[in-house]
Amino acid sequence: QVQLVQSGAEVKKPGASVKVSCKASGYTFTGYYIHWVRQAPGQGLEWMGWINPNSGDTNYAQKFQGRVTMTRDTSMSTAYMELSRLRFDDTTVYYCAKDMCTYGVCYNYVYWGQGTLVTVSS
Amino acid sequence: DIQMTQSPSSLSAFVGDRVTITCRSSQSISNYLNWYQQKPGKAPKLLIYAAISLQSGVPSRFSGSRSGTDFTLTISSLQPEDFATYYCQQSYSTPQTFGQGTRVEI
């Protein structure tokens, strides 16, 4: 069955970087875009961007341009999201999610990772 | 960015009630509207996609509809397991955006 398993919780200082991983299984990793969505405690959902695991192409929300980098390792069926210059308001849960559409992007997410809490604290 | 406005922000209902949640987009998004259910500490779950299509495995008491830029999620007979927060999401243009959520309390 399809699974997305994310790396564990992180605590970082302001200005540092964090890299979250998302290991996929149960499907052809290169066939579906991976998206990253974050959610502050008790708040709504915010899309950060996507990566095409087949080509490595990315598309980032303008809000995160210059601070976020999404990469993938096809040999390990794993996607990564790195966020730099962390601020206190980056303290949120970060989710990876698999796009529903094959070899394309339609922004419908059936499968999600379990979420990774990143806490930014001095 | 397209703004998605959900109403109400929260509601209380009884088991068996018919519940309606509305989402309005700031511009036309055709049928590019999804609904998710999220329970505390869990990832969201896709309920409805393309405004009216029921995701596989989702109970038929959930349904979606559209009228122009207004979208509705209806739960025909509320069950105890439906206590959750519901989000709409437009998938029409980047950045795709979510509504602020509707908390349903039983």
Side-chain angles (χ1 to χ4, degrees), chain A residues 32-102:
Chain A
Y32 299 85
Y33 287 44
I34 292 287
H35 299 253
W36 291 88
V37 176
R38 75 177 192 175
Q39 185 173 36
Q43 301 300 309
L45 298 157
E46 183 174 34
W47 177 77
M48 301 180 69
W50 54 250
I51 181 166
N52 177 348
N54 188 44
S55 64
D57 289 344
T58 56
N59 182 19
Y60 304 141
Q62 187 158 5
K63 174 178 178 176
F64 300 102
Q65 290 273 2
R67 281 212 304 145
V68 70
T69 304
M70 296 179 188
T71 57
R72 91 295 190 210
D73 182 337
T74 56
S75 69
M76 297 189 63
S77 296
T78 300
Y80 302 91
M81 187 283 299
E82 183 170 19
L83 190 62
S84 63
R85 303 194 301 277
L86 288 169
R87 307 186 294 246
F88 292 117
D89 63 359
D90 290 320
T91 295
T92 74
V93 175
Y94 292 80
Y95 292 102
C96 62
K98 170 184 169 293
D99 202 292
M100 175 189 280
C101 293
T102 309

Side-chain angles (χ1 to χ4, degrees), chain B residues 77-99:
Chain B
S77 178
L78 199 64
Q79 298 302 301
E81 60 267 29
D82 299 336
F83 161 75
T85 300
Y86 294 84
Y87 294 94
C88 63
Q89 173 218 9
Q90 66 83 13
S91 55
Y92 180 77
S93 68
T94 300
Q96 38 102 35
T97 45
F98 294 84

